[in-house]
Amino acid sequence: MSQLAHTAAQRFEQIFGHAPTGVWAAPGRVNLIGEHTDYNGGLCLPIALPQRTYAAAGPRDDDIVRVASLDFDEQAEVSLDDVAPGVPGGWLGYVAGTIWALRERGFAVHGLDLATTSDVPIGAGLSSSAAIEGAAGGAASGLFNLGLLDSDASRVTLVDACRRAENHIVGAPTGGLDQTASLRCLPRHALLIDFGHDARVRQIPFDVAAHGLRLLVIDTRAKHALVDGQYAARRANCEQAARELGVDLLGRITPEQLPDALSRLSDQTLRRRVRHVVTEIARTRQCCDALEHGDFQQVGELFNQSHASLRDDYEVSSPELDLAVAAARGAGALGARMTGGGFGGSAIALVPVAALDAVKRAVADAYLAREWTPAHVFAVHAAGPADRVAVHEAQLVE
Ligand code: GLA
């Protein structure tokens, strides 16, 4: 059992005076490719991270959601009756919003006590928000016997509740990639998600270690936040372009139709946004093919193209991300790109084992030369989705 699960259980008992019913956990994610495509009805290809958020939980017989955040050393509570857009604010909104969304959907949920702790870096573009939503939602499902973790189909229901919390209560207009990854990814696989067809999924084997490679995350430590206006502005660009082109979603436009679509748009910015979305969806499809054929040179090349498109056409990169990507490539990475929403956060790099040290050193040196806060670089693998963590009774009361 994870040390963090143990810590959550122990601290729950100290804080609330009785042992928790159980511990639930949900992972952060990195998206391998398919960025800013989810809300356009396109393809995404995330993996779940080994890093996860743990929630030790017990039911209450009233409607209060009470949470002790061990990492922030804070406690907060709210009645489910008071949950509304923007209320409660801060991290409690993700937790209470998810429970609220389940109740809105007709599930018989009540209040609960939670103690949470996490090793998903916060504000790093690795979906710490989806991890806390998934852990809280999984806990509610377990405590109130909703069975939402029992099958992939029932997990879809929980994805919707987590996303509703984020969109409606927290106020981040995100597209569903993060929650789908946290709840539906499988170990040693990337998850191809088709947001143009009800988020249907296909599991793509992803085990780079077996090919002498590592996937590095480079957390630039330049904070990103999705509630600020830039993410919403990109969505608005896409909606406007779709209206002008007479499609419900930009993902409906094929690469063959792209030149004609671009010629019909009046505005240069909208043209760039559409070009990113359509080409990124095509790259995601190509990346799946390359992975299935073990062609990692091609995967790396697609990472590089994706980064250029996000930087130049979608304009969501940052100097910290561009430098990390350039340094990694210069030191031997097969490819590198920003991952997640952008405007700071993390990059990923696909690196031969023999070049690992050189890549880490190159990133460190590049940041040092600019006197930036050092980036945090670590290898990840495709881990499993949100679930209940086996914690033995003896460990809970230890
Ligand atoms: C954030 C959002 C996702 C997705 C990505 C960009 O992570 O939460 O829904 O839009 O940005 O691909």
Side-chain angles (χ1 to χ4, degrees):
M1 186 204 30
S2 148
Q3 182 56 43
L4 288 182
H6 195 186
T7 304
Q10 275 191 326
R11 295 283 293 127
F12 181 102
E13 182 162 12
Q14 288 163 1
I15 293 166
F16 299 117
H18 58 92
T21 305
V23 179
W24 284 263
R29 62 99 188 89
V30 290
N31 193 20
L32 297 178
I33 197 162
E35 219 64 86
H36 288 278
T37 49
D38 57 351
Y39 54 82
N40 285 304
L43 302 175
C44 302
L45 189 66
I47 60 168
L49 294 178
Q51 285 78 5
R52 45 201 63 217
T53 295
Y54 296 81
R60 297 172 61 95
D61 45 24
D62 58 17
D63 283 332
I64 304 284
V65 174
R66 185 167 54 153
V67 186
S69 164
L70 305 181
D71 304 325
F72 296 140
D73 198 18
E74 282 172 15
Q75 273 188 49
E77 62 177 57
V78 65
S79 165
L80 283 173
D81 297 330
D82 295 334
V83 176
V87 181
W91 52 266
L92 186 60
Y94 296 96
V95 176
T98 302
I99 317 298
W100 168 89
L102 287 171
R103 195 157 83 161
E104 284 278 301
R105 193 149 169 166
F107 289 108
V109 293
H110 300 285
L112 39 75
D113 291 328
L114 292 179
T116 65
T117 185
S118 182
D119 58 0
V120 183
I122 290 174
L126 301 175
S127 291
S128 58
S129 51
I132 181 92
E133 291 156 5
S141 171
L143 295 179
F144 302 112
N145 294 316
L146 311 183
L148 297 179
L149 296 178
D150 291 358
S151 69
D152 188 60
S154 61
R155 283 167 179 258
V156 172
T157 303
L158 188 50
V159 168
D160 288 344
C162 294
R163 184 176 167 195
R164 185 114 202 274
E166 190 150 334
N167 291 168
H168 197 71
I169 302 304
V170 177
T174 55
L177 156 67
D178 311 340
Q179 296 80 8
T180 306
S182 187
L183 283 153
R184 300 177 69 190
C185 279
L186 294 183
R188 293 175 300 283
H189 288 78
L191 186 73
L192 177 64
I193 314 167
D194 185 348
F195 282 99
H197 294 93
D198 292 329
R200 76 177 172 212
V201 299
R202 185 151 67 89
Q203 301 287 345
I204 310 287
F206 183 78
D207 183 4
V208 293
H211 298 265
L213 300 167
R214 294 288 183 273
L215 185 70
L216 287 186
V217 170
I218 305 168
D219 171 7
T220 64
R221 317 267 294 277
K223 292 287 172 204
H224 92 145
L226 293 175
V227 267
D228 79 5
Q230 290 290 339
Y231 185 90
R234 294 302 179 281
R235 281 197 75 146
N237 285 163
C238 292
E239 282 159 18
Q240 190 190 332
R243 268 195 306 276
E244 288 189 19
L245 294 169
V247 288
D248 59 339
L249 294 162
L250 291 182
R252 306 281 185 230
I253 300 166
T254 64
E256 293 72 32
Q257 293 165 339
L258 182 59
D260 175 59
L262 295 182
S263 73
R264 283 162 50 215
L265 288 167
S266 50
D267 182 273
Q268 183 54 30
T269 302
L270 293 190
R271 268 188 229 127
R272 288 204 304 269
R273 305 294 188 251
V274 171
R275 188 164 56 203
H276 166 72
V277 172
V278 175
T279 58
E280 183 75 355
I281 293 168
R283 281 187 290 273
T284 306
R285 199 169 277 120
Q286 289 164 20
C287 191
C288 288
D289 290 346
L291 284 172
E292 285 175 329
H293 290 101
D295 185 351
F296 289 96
Q297 294 289 346
Q298 171 70 355
V299 172
E301 179 52 33
L302 291 163
F303 279 16
N304 294 343
Q305 290 173 13
S306 169
H307 186 79
S309 179
L310 287 157
R311 182 191 59 209
D312 302 335
D313 277 349
Y314 218 66
E315 297 177 284
V316 292
S317 190
S318 70
E320 295 87 352
L321 287 165
D322 292 342
L323 185 66
V325 161
R329 276 187 215 152
L334 299 185
R337 59 179 292 276
M338 55 156 279
T339 186
F343 313 108
S346 296
I348 52 173
L350 188 61
V351 183
V353 170
L356 270 182
D357 288 343
V359 166
K360 288 183 184 168
R361 213 174 320 113
V363 173
D365 289 349
Y367 272 54
L368 193 63
R370 282 162 184 75
E371 299 182 358
W372 290 350
T373 309
H376 181 209
V377 185
F378 51 98
V380 296
H381 61 270
D387 235 327
R388 185 171 182 164
V389 184
V391 182
H392 298 302
E393 197 63 21
Q395 288 170 309
L396 290 179
V397 296
E398 205 172 275

mmCIF file of all heavy atoms in Angstrom, residues 26 53 93-95 97-99 127-139 158-159 161-167 170 174 178-179 182-183:
data_model
loop_
_atom_site.group_PDB
_atom_site.id
_atom_site.type_symbol
_atom_site.label_atom_id
_atom_site.label_comp_id
_atom_site.label_asym_id
_atom_site.label_seq_id
_atom_site.Cartn_x
_atom_site.Cartn_y
_atom_site.Cartn_z
ATOM 1 N N ALA A 26 -7.050 8.769 -6.953
ATOM 2 C CA ALA A 26 -7.204 9.039 -8.397
ATOM 3 C C ALA A 26 -5.937 9.726 -8.893
ATOM 4 O O ALA A 26 -5.359 10.560 -8.194
ATOM 5 C CB ALA A 26 -8.428 9.904 -8.663
ATOM 6 N N THR A 53 -3.876 11.449 -5.980
ATOM 7 C CA THR A 53 -4.455 12.079 -4.790
ATOM 8 C C THR A 53 -5.219 11.010 -4.017
ATOM 9 O O THR A 53 -5.982 10.242 -4.613
ATOM 10 C CB THR A 53 -5.401 13.225 -5.204
ATOM 11 O OG1 THR A 53 -4.602 14.231 -5.822
ATOM 12 C CG2 THR A 53 -6.122 13.813 -4.005
ATOM 13 N N GLY A 93 -14.067 23.476 -3.476
ATOM 14 C CA GLY A 93 -15.023 23.483 -4.589
ATOM 15 C C GLY A 93 -14.941 22.232 -5.444
ATOM 16 O O GLY A 93 -15.957 21.721 -5.920
ATOM 17 N N TYR A 94 -13.723 21.710 -5.663
ATOM 18 C CA TYR A 94 -13.555 20.504 -6.481
ATOM 19 C C TYR A 94 -14.213 19.300 -5.799
ATOM 20 O O TYR A 94 -14.827 18.460 -6.438
ATOM 21 C CB TYR A 94 -12.070 20.209 -6.712
ATOM 22 C CG TYR A 94 -11.349 21.285 -7.501
ATOM 23 C CD1 TYR A 94 -10.631 22.285 -6.861
ATOM 24 C CD2 TYR A 94 -11.391 21.292 -8.889
ATOM 25 C CE1 TYR A 94 -9.968 23.269 -7.588
ATOM 26 C CE2 TYR A 94 -10.734 22.262 -9.624
ATOM 27 C CZ TYR A 94 -10.019 23.256 -8.962
ATOM 28 O OH TYR A 94 -9.384 24.225 -9.685
ATOM 29 N N VAL A 95 -14.030 19.227 -4.475
ATOM 30 C CA VAL A 95 -14.553 18.084 -3.717
ATOM 31 C C VAL A 95 -16.070 18.195 -3.593
ATOM 32 O O VAL A 95 -16.822 17.306 -4.018
ATOM 33 C CB VAL A 95 -13.907 18.038 -2.308
ATOM 34 C CG1 VAL A 95 -14.516 16.920 -1.481
ATOM 35 C CG2 VAL A 95 -12.400 17.874 -2.410
ATOM 36 N N GLY A 97 -18.103 20.117 -5.101
ATOM 37 C CA GLY A 97 -18.768 20.206 -6.403
ATOM 38 C C GLY A 97 -19.044 18.827 -6.985
ATOM 39 O O GLY A 97 -20.086 18.595 -7.597
ATOM 40 N N THR A 98 -18.105 17.912 -6.800
ATOM 41 C CA THR A 98 -18.299 16.560 -7.339
ATOM 42 C C THR A 98 -19.434 15.838 -6.612
ATOM 43 O O THR A 98 -20.288 15.200 -7.243
ATOM 44 C CB THR A 98 -16.979 15.751 -7.218
ATOM 45 O OG1 THR A 98 -15.958 16.456 -7.927
ATOM 46 C CG2 THR A 98 -17.130 14.367 -7.791
ATOM 47 N N ILE A 99 -19.467 15.959 -5.283
ATOM 48 C CA ILE A 99 -20.536 15.292 -4.518
ATOM 49 C C ILE A 99 -21.884 15.931 -4.892
ATOM 50 O O ILE A 99 -22.887 15.244 -5.096
ATOM 51 C CB ILE A 99 -20.298 15.429 -2.983
ATOM 52 C CG1 ILE A 99 -18.834 15.183 -2.603
ATOM 53 C CG2 ILE A 99 -21.244 14.510 -2.202
ATOM 54 C CD1 ILE A 99 -18.285 13.856 -2.893
ATOM 55 N N SER A 127 -3.133 17.873 -14.006
ATOM 56 C CA SER A 127 -4.506 17.538 -13.606
ATOM 57 C C SER A 127 -4.649 17.178 -12.142
ATOM 58 O O SER A 127 -5.311 16.194 -11.784
ATOM 59 C CB SER A 127 -5.081 16.412 -14.473
ATOM 60 O OG SER A 127 -5.283 16.863 -15.767
ATOM 61 N N SER A 128 -4.049 17.986 -11.289
ATOM 62 C CA SER A 128 -4.299 17.789 -9.858
ATOM 63 C C SER A 128 -5.782 17.989 -9.560
ATOM 64 O O SER A 128 -6.323 17.359 -8.646
ATOM 65 C CB SER A 128 -3.449 18.754 -9.028
ATOM 66 O OG SER A 128 -3.723 20.087 -9.399
ATOM 67 N N SER A 129 -6.468 18.806 -10.340
ATOM 68 C CA SER A 129 -7.897 19.029 -10.071
ATOM 69 C C SER A 129 -8.711 17.777 -10.398
ATOM 70 O O SER A 129 -9.575 17.377 -9.615
ATOM 71 C CB SER A 129 -8.409 20.256 -10.819
ATOM 72 O OG SER A 129 -8.068 20.180 -12.175
ATOM 73 N N ALA A 130 -8.429 17.138 -11.526
ATOM 74 C CA ALA A 130 -9.157 15.905 -11.846
ATOM 75 C C ALA A 130 -8.850 14.819 -10.816
ATOM 76 O O ALA A 130 -9.712 13.994 -10.491
ATOM 77 C CB ALA A 130 -8.782 15.405 -13.237
ATOM 78 N N ALA A 131 -7.628 14.823 -10.279
ATOM 79 C CA ALA A 131 -7.259 13.812 -9.283
ATOM 80 C C ALA A 131 -8.068 13.985 -7.996
ATOM 81 O O ALA A 131 -8.576 12.997 -7.440
ATOM 82 C CB ALA A 131 -5.761 13.871 -9.006
ATOM 83 N N ILE A 132 -8.236 15.214 -7.539
ATOM 84 C CA ILE A 132 -9.013 15.400 -6.299
ATOM 85 C C ILE A 132 -10.495 15.132 -6.564
ATOM 86 O O ILE A 132 -11.197 14.539 -5.735
ATOM 87 C CB ILE A 132 -8.769 16.788 -5.645
ATOM 88 C CG1 ILE A 132 -9.562 16.976 -4.356
ATOM 89 C CG2 ILE A 132 -9.091 17.949 -6.534
ATOM 90 C CD1 ILE A 132 -8.839 16.589 -3.148
ATOM 91 N N GLU A 133 -10.973 15.515 -7.738
ATOM 92 C CA GLU A 133 -12.383 15.222 -8.075
ATOM 93 C C GLU A 133 -12.607 13.714 -8.128
ATOM 94 O O GLU A 133 -13.596 13.201 -7.578
ATOM 95 C CB GLU A 133 -12.734 15.823 -9.443
ATOM 96 C CG GLU A 133 -12.782 17.333 -9.476
ATOM 97 C CD GLU A 133 -12.548 17.923 -10.870
ATOM 98 O OE1 GLU A 133 -12.433 17.148 -11.861
ATOM 99 O OE2 GLU A 133 -12.443 19.154 -10.975
ATOM 100 N N GLY A 134 -11.691 13.005 -8.782
ATOM 101 C CA GLY A 134 -11.847 11.558 -8.927
ATOM 102 C C GLY A 134 -11.766 10.837 -7.594
ATOM 103 O O GLY A 134 -12.517 9.885 -7.342
ATOM 104 N N ALA A 135 -10.852 11.292 -6.727
ATOM 105 C CA ALA A 135 -10.718 10.656 -5.412
ATOM 106 C C ALA A 135 -11.979 10.903 -4.579
ATOM 107 O O ALA A 135 -12.511 9.989 -3.928
ATOM 108 C CB ALA A 135 -9.474 11.175 -4.693
ATOM 109 N N ALA A 136 -12.482 12.145 -4.620
ATOM 110 C CA ALA A 136 -13.687 12.469 -3.843
ATOM 111 C C ALA A 136 -14.903 11.725 -4.405
ATOM 112 O O ALA A 136 -15.709 11.153 -3.656
ATOM 113 C CB ALA A 136 -13.942 13.974 -3.876
ATOM 114 N N GLY A 137 -15.015 11.712 -5.731
ATOM 115 C CA GLY A 137 -16.158 11.034 -6.358
ATOM 116 C C GLY A 137 -16.094 9.532 -6.126
ATOM 117 O O GLY A 137 -17.119 8.888 -5.861
ATOM 118 N N GLY A 138 -14.893 8.964 -6.206
ATOM 119 C CA GLY A 138 -14.734 7.536 -5.938
ATOM 120 C C GLY A 138 -15.117 7.209 -4.504
ATOM 121 O O GLY A 138 -15.790 6.201 -4.229
ATOM 122 N N ALA A 139 -14.699 8.087 -3.592
ATOM 123 C CA ALA A 139 -15.036 7.873 -2.178
ATOM 124 C C ALA A 139 -16.543 7.924 -1.980
ATOM 125 O O ALA A 139 -17.132 7.053 -1.310
ATOM 126 C CB ALA A 139 -14.339 8.928 -1.314
ATOM 127 N N LEU A 158 -19.280 9.006 -13.566
ATOM 128 C CA LEU A 158 -18.474 9.755 -12.590
ATOM 129 C C LEU A 158 -17.642 10.836 -13.291
ATOM 130 O O LEU A 158 -17.465 11.940 -12.761
ATOM 131 C CB LEU A 158 -17.583 8.790 -11.795
ATOM 132 C CG LEU A 158 -16.822 9.379 -10.613
ATOM 133 C CD1 LEU A 158 -17.727 10.190 -9.693
ATOM 134 C CD2 LEU A 158 -16.141 8.252 -9.824
ATOM 135 N N VAL A 159 -17.146 10.525 -14.495
ATOM 136 C CA VAL A 159 -16.443 11.551 -15.285
ATOM 137 C C VAL A 159 -17.341 12.773 -15.439
ATOM 138 O O VAL A 159 -16.918 13.915 -15.225
ATOM 139 C CB VAL A 159 -16.050 11.011 -16.690
ATOM 140 C CG1 VAL A 159 -15.601 12.150 -17.607
ATOM 141 C CG2 VAL A 159 -14.957 9.958 -16.586
ATOM 142 N N ALA A 161 -19.808 13.813 -13.599
ATOM 143 C CA ALA A 161 -19.994 14.544 -12.338
ATOM 144 C C ALA A 161 -18.752 15.380 -12.023
ATOM 145 O O ALA A 161 -18.853 16.549 -11.623
ATOM 146 C CB ALA A 161 -20.290 13.565 -11.198
ATOM 147 N N CYS A 162 -17.576 14.805 -12.223
ATOM 148 C CA CYS A 162 -16.332 15.537 -11.931
ATOM 149 C C CYS A 162 -16.205 16.750 -12.855
ATOM 150 O O CYS A 162 -15.837 17.844 -12.433
ATOM 151 C CB CYS A 162 -15.123 14.621 -12.112
ATOM 152 S SG CYS A 162 -15.044 13.260 -10.935
ATOM 153 N N ARG A 163 -16.533 16.537 -14.096
ATOM 154 C CA ARG A 163 -16.430 17.634 -15.055
ATOM 155 C C ARG A 163 -17.447 18.729 -14.728
ATOM 156 O O ARG A 163 -17.173 19.919 -14.845
ATOM 157 C CB ARG A 163 -16.666 17.068 -16.450
ATOM 158 C CG ARG A 163 -16.490 18.122 -17.484
ATOM 159 C CD ARG A 163 -16.613 17.555 -18.862
ATOM 160 N NE ARG A 163 -16.734 18.656 -19.803
ATOM 161 C CZ ARG A 163 -17.135 18.511 -21.039
ATOM 162 N NH1 ARG A 163 -17.440 17.324 -21.489
ATOM 163 N NH2 ARG A 163 -17.226 19.553 -21.837
ATOM 164 N N ARG A 164 -18.642 18.315 -14.308
ATOM 165 C CA ARG A 164 -19.686 19.292 -13.954
ATOM 166 C C ARG A 164 -19.206 20.145 -12.788
ATOM 167 O O ARG A 164 -19.409 21.360 -12.751
ATOM 168 C CB ARG A 164 -20.943 18.491 -13.603
ATOM 169 C CG ARG A 164 -22.146 19.262 -13.325
ATOM 170 C CD ARG A 164 -23.247 19.046 -14.385
ATOM 171 N NE ARG A 164 -24.161 20.180 -14.351
ATOM 172 C CZ ARG A 164 -25.197 20.256 -13.524
ATOM 173 N NH1 ARG A 164 -25.474 19.257 -12.700
ATOM 174 N NH2 ARG A 164 -25.957 21.338 -13.519
ATOM 175 N N ALA A 165 -18.537 19.498 -11.817
ATOM 176 C CA ALA A 165 -18.004 20.237 -10.663
ATOM 177 C C ALA A 165 -17.041 21.307 -11.154
ATOM 178 O O ALA A 165 -17.085 22.467 -10.727
ATOM 179 C CB ALA A 165 -17.297 19.275 -9.708
ATOM 180 N N GLU A 166 -16.165 20.922 -12.054
ATOM 181 C CA GLU A 166 -15.130 21.849 -12.514
ATOM 182 C C GLU A 166 -15.725 22.973 -13.364
ATOM 183 O O GLU A 166 -15.383 24.143 -13.204
ATOM 184 C CB GLU A 166 -14.084 21.064 -13.313
ATOM 185 C CG GLU A 166 -12.881 21.903 -13.613
ATOM 186 C CD GLU A 166 -11.606 21.073 -13.704
ATOM 187 O OE1 GLU A 166 -11.524 19.997 -13.088
ATOM 188 O OE2 GLU A 166 -10.701 21.517 -14.400
ATOM 189 N N ASN A 167 -16.643 22.615 -14.266
ATOM 190 C CA ASN A 167 -17.226 23.625 -15.161
ATOM 191 C C ASN A 167 -18.190 24.537 -14.407
ATOM 192 O O ASN A 167 -18.176 25.750 -14.585
ATOM 193 C CB ASN A 167 -18.004 22.961 -16.299
ATOM 194 C CG ASN A 167 -17.116 22.222 -17.293
ATOM 195 O OD1 ASN A 167 -17.598 21.472 -18.118
ATOM 196 N ND2 ASN A 167 -15.800 22.403 -17.244
ATOM 197 N N VAL A 170 -16.518 25.194 -9.880
ATOM 198 C CA VAL A 170 -15.210 25.871 -9.828
ATOM 199 C C VAL A 170 -15.158 26.994 -10.877
ATOM 200 O O VAL A 170 -14.539 28.031 -10.648
ATOM 201 C CB VAL A 170 -14.063 24.858 -10.063
ATOM 202 C CG1 VAL A 170 -12.719 25.559 -10.082
ATOM 203 C CG2 VAL A 170 -14.102 23.772 -8.997
ATOM 204 N N THR A 174 -13.263 23.599 -18.727
ATOM 205 C CA THR A 174 -12.407 22.557 -19.315
ATOM 206 C C THR A 174 -13.252 21.521 -20.060
ATOM 207 O O THR A 174 -14.470 21.454 -19.879
ATOM 208 C CB THR A 174 -11.578 21.871 -18.226
ATOM 209 O OG1 THR A 174 -12.477 21.381 -17.234
ATOM 210 C CG2 THR A 174 -10.628 22.865 -17.568
ATOM 211 N N ASP A 178 -9.184 15.536 -18.789
ATOM 212 C CA ASP A 178 -8.493 15.212 -17.546
ATOM 213 C C ASP A 178 -9.260 14.177 -16.726
ATOM 214 O O ASP A 178 -8.688 13.210 -16.208
ATOM 215 C CB ASP A 178 -8.293 16.476 -16.705
ATOM 216 C CG ASP A 178 -7.703 17.622 -17.515
ATOM 217 O OD1 ASP A 178 -7.112 17.345 -18.566
ATOM 218 O OD2 ASP A 178 -7.847 18.774 -17.095
ATOM 219 N N GLN A 179 -10.577 14.401 -16.594
ATOM 220 C CA GLN A 179 -11.395 13.494 -15.785
ATOM 221 C C GLN A 179 -11.498 12.124 -16.462
ATOM 222 O O GLN A 179 -11.475 11.080 -15.785
ATOM 223 C CB GLN A 179 -12.795 14.095 -15.582
ATOM 224 C CG GLN A 179 -12.814 15.398 -14.789
ATOM 225 C CD GLN A 179 -12.448 16.617 -15.627
ATOM 226 O OE1 GLN A 179 -12.318 16.550 -16.848
ATOM 227 N NE2 GLN A 179 -12.271 17.757 -14.954
ATOM 228 N N SER A 182 -8.204 10.325 -15.794
ATOM 229 C CA SER A 182 -8.028 9.905 -14.405
ATOM 230 C C SER A 182 -8.909 8.701 -14.057
ATOM 231 O O SER A 182 -8.542 7.880 -13.229
ATOM 232 C CB SER A 182 -8.341 11.082 -13.467
ATOM 233 O OG SER A 182 -8.038 10.763 -12.141
ATOM 234 N N LEU A 183 -10.057 8.597 -14.721
ATOM 235 C CA LEU A 183 -10.995 7.535 -14.351
ATOM 236 C C LEU A 183 -10.990 6.336 -15.293
ATOM 237 O O LEU A 183 -11.454 5.257 -14.929
ATOM 238 C CB LEU A 183 -12.414 8.105 -14.264
ATOM 239 C CG LEU A 183 -12.631 8.910 -12.970
ATOM 240 C CD1 LEU A 183 -13.695 9.971 -13.128
ATOM 241 C CD2 LEU A 183 -12.966 7.976 -11.813
#
